[in-house]
Amino acid sequence: MEFNFADRMSDLKGSAIREIFKVIAQPDIISFAGGVPSPDTYPVDALNEISQRLLVGNAAAYLNYGVTNGYPPLIEILKERLTKQGVVKDSDEMMITTGGQQGIDLAAKSILNKGDGLVCENPSFIGALNSFRTYEAELFGVTLQNDGLDVDEFKKTIKENKNIKIAYIIPTFQNPGGVTTSLEKRKKILEICKANGIIIIEDNPYGELRFKGEDVPTIKSLDTDGDTVIYVGSLSKVLSPGMRIGFVVANSKIIGKMEILKQVNDVHTNQFAQALAYEWLKNYDFEEHLEKARLLYKHKCELMLKTMDETFPEFVTYTRPEGGLFILCTINKEGIDSAEVVKACIDKKVAFVPGFTFMVDMTKTSNMFRLNYSTMSDEKIVEGIKILAGVLKTL
Ligand SMILES: Cc1ncc(COP(=O)(O)O)c(C=O)c1O
């Protein structure tokens, strides 16, 4: 049968990362493709203890429907943490979402009409870009530099495109860039957006994973006298992605609209997972957990960078992250398509993600690729990087 799909599906391709996941399911693959925490950080014993306690204690409360905006104790405990970080203001509400992905999606859905403009870093997070594409937004990518997007280009893009309603920014340990937007640039981005009535979606799933350098205030916390920023966070990278717990903080009017959308989307986020997350945050040491994860990622990131420094050819440059999970590499040679490099490496059992998947215009080839360092053992990091270096040297 000839299926007559909606127009919005015509430009949508499945995430290449998900495609690569099919390859990396093979046991002998060295994968730098994912974007997940090290499985060694999952607090399995603690979650087992809490699960038993919840189910024996008052199972009906957690197996029943819950309220759309989230499990109230979880909202309270997260709000407390984010208030200390300056993210939550008096006029704000918080809603629990099914991962940060849903927060981004519902924020976009509540604001974007077909043909509205959205400006973002280029490259950017594919899950968000695909969400914006489903709302048939016009996407404008701004060059990503080592200290965040190019502010002059950002300003010019906004000046020339009056349809822009949203700026989607990942200022801390960007995906795929691994870079962090400087304080100066954060202030400028906020100022430009305020002056032009543009809402910022600040996506910050990696912010708690700093293993080097100084914290930079979130854009949300800099917005002391306005409601310009919708802040999206997640427990995926600091607890478990499979539990699907994210959260959004924004002006109560925005959260009110998003709540209506969530009702028709999934009613509420998994009640049992929310209760698990709450009990874990309340009864276990989140700081200690984060500190362990940070130390692990610092070690893995440094090992990967050291091996790259020793083996990569000079025409390949890369970012040096101070946190998060990714290093972005650029092949500085004419006519190189990083997708071809990925293919050649997959044949040698090493996987990572080609740059085109992160670009606003996915039809062009890219000379970039993203490496993740959080999940492989030290031995596999060294072995995989050496294999990749060997392929790069043949270019
Ligand atoms: C920048 C960014 N935002 C949001 C997400 C969504 O994560 P989740 O839906 O698991 O919270 C991811 C996941 O990779 C991400 O990299």
Side-chain angles (χ1 to χ4, degrees), residues 35 98-102 104 125 128 168 170 173-175 203-206 232-237 240-241 244-246 326 370:
T98 301
Q101 175 71 39
Q102 188 186 47
I104 298 162
F125 169 50
Y168 169 71
I170 314 162
F173 315 133
Q174 207 255 10
N175 179 8
D203 186 14
N204 191 21
Y206 303 102
V232 181
S234 174
L235 296 184
S236 284
K237 316 295 174 174
S240 144
R244 308 303 304 129
I245 307 284
F326 308 111
R370 187 192 77 178

Side-chain angles (χ1 to χ4, degrees), residues 7-8 113-116 131-138:
D7 294 345
R8 74 177 72 91
N113 287 315
K114 180 177 176 178
D116 281 344
S131 160
F132 308 143
R133 288 180 180 121
T134 62
Y135 301 117
E136 297 172 271
E138 191 180 356

Side-chain angles (χ1 to χ4, degrees), residues 245-315:
I245 307 284
F247 46 91
V248 182
V249 179
N251 178 280
S252 54
K253 287 187 191 153
I254 297 178
I255 296 291
K257 296 289 182 205
M258 289 176 65
E259 200 177 322
I260 299 168
L261 293 174
K262 186 166 168 67
Q263 271 168 21
V264 297
N265 193 298
D266 64 354
V267 185
H268 61 75
T269 294
N270 183 310
Q271 180 80 344
F272 187 67
Q274 290 189 74
L276 256 185
Y278 164 68
E279 293 290 335
W280 182 73
L281 289 169
K282 182 164 178 277
N283 298 306
Y284 288 83
D285 195 337
F286 190 27
E287 287 312 322
E288 187 187 290
H289 175 85
L290 283 174
E291 206 39 50
K292 272 193 201 148
R294 290 180 193 127
L295 278 177
L296 183 70
Y297 300 149
K298 179 175 193 287
H299 165 75
K300 287 189 183 293
C301 179
E302 282 173 358
L303 178 66
M304 186 175 268
L305 285 170
K306 179 172 169 280
T307 317
M308 289 162 73
D309 292 344
E310 286 165 4
T311 59
F312 272 21
E314 262 176 23
F315 56 83

Side-chain angles (χ1 to χ4, degrees), residues 58-339:
N58 188 10
Y62 311 113
L63 300 179
N64 200 347
Y65 283 119
V67 286
T68 298
N69 67 335
Y71 182 60
L74 179 61
I75 293 182
E76 279 320 304
I77 204 163
L78 287 173
K79 245 187 177 174
E80 202 183 307
R81 187 174 179 84
L82 288 155
T83 304
K84 281 189 199 137
Q85 294 171 358
V87 170
V88 184
K89 288 200 307 250
D90 288 349
S91 51
D92 286 338
E93 293 278 348
M94 177 185 275
M95 181 168 81
I96 305 295
T97 54
T98 301
Q101 175 71 39
Q102 188 186 47
I104 298 162
D105 186 63
L106 297 184
K109 195 175 191 178
S110 67
I111 292 169
L112 293 174
N113 287 315
K114 180 177 176 178
D116 281 344
L118 180 143
V119 60
C120 61
E121 294 135 338
N122 201 26
S124 184
F125 169 50
I126 183 167
L129 297 182
N130 270 347
S131 160
F132 308 143
R133 288 180 180 121
T134 62
Y135 301 117
E136 297 172 271
E138 191 180 356
L139 303 187
F140 299 96
V142 172
T143 311
L144 183 65
Q145 300 170 322
N146 277 334
D147 59 349
L149 54 68
D150 179 333
V151 170
D152 293 336
E153 194 183 324
F154 182 69
K155 202 169 178 179
K156 186 164 174 274
T157 306
I158 288 173
K159 196 170 169 206
E160 287 173 0
N161 298 284
K162 297 292 173 208
N163 63 340
I164 293 178
K165 281 173 98 175
I166 295 181
Y168 169 71
I169 314 278
I170 314 162
T172 310
F173 315 133
Q174 207 255 10
N175 179 8
V179 298
T180 293
T181 305
S182 66
L183 178 59
E184 198 193 345
K185 282 196 174 179
R186 287 175 195 228
K187 286 182 180 162
K188 281 194 184 149
I189 290 168
L190 181 61
E191 188 188 306
I192 295 166
C193 288
K194 265 182 192 286
N196 289 279
I198 291 170
I199 290 279
I200 298 172
I201 300 179
E202 178 177 21
D203 186 14
N204 191 21
Y206 303 102
E208 303 263 23
L209 293 178
R210 175 176 288 282
F211 47 70
K212 209 178 154 190
E214 294 290 312
D215 274 339
V216 187
T218 57
I219 304 179
K220 178 78 174 70
S221 69
L222 297 172
D223 186 23
T224 47
D225 60 347
D227 297 306
T228 299
V229 186
I230 302 176
Y231 180 89
V232 181
S234 174
L235 296 184
S236 284
K237 316 295 174 174
V238 291
L239 171 57
S240 144
M243 284 172 66
R244 308 303 304 129
I245 307 284
F247 46 91
V248 182
V249 179
N251 178 280
S252 54
K253 287 187 191 153
I254 297 178
I255 296 291
K257 296 289 182 205
M258 289 176 65
E259 200 177 322
I260 299 168
L261 293 174
K262 186 166 168 67
Q263 271 168 21
V264 297
N265 193 298
D266 64 354
V267 185
H268 61 75
T269 294
N270 183 310
Q271 180 80 344
F272 187 67
Q274 290 189 74
L276 256 185
Y278 164 68
E279 293 290 335
W280 182 73
L281 289 169
K282 182 164 178 277
N283 298 306
Y284 288 83
D285 195 337
F286 190 27
E287 287 312 322
E288 187 187 290
H289 175 85
L290 283 174
E291 206 39 50
K292 272 193 201 148
R294 290 180 193 127
L295 278 177
L296 183 70
Y297 300 149
K298 179 175 193 287
H299 165 75
K300 287 189 183 293
C301 179
E302 282 173 358
L303 178 66
M304 186 175 268
L305 285 170
K306 179 172 169 280
T307 317
M308 289 162 73
D309 292 344
E310 286 165 4
T311 59
F312 272 21
E314 262 176 23
F315 56 83
V316 181
T317 50
Y318 34 90
T319 56
R320 303 191 88 89
E322 297 191 331
L325 305 180
F326 308 111
I327 298 170
L328 185 68
C329 304
T330 306
I331 307 167
N332 301 293
K333 263 196 168 197
E334 281 293 302
I336 297 289
D337 176 2
S338 64

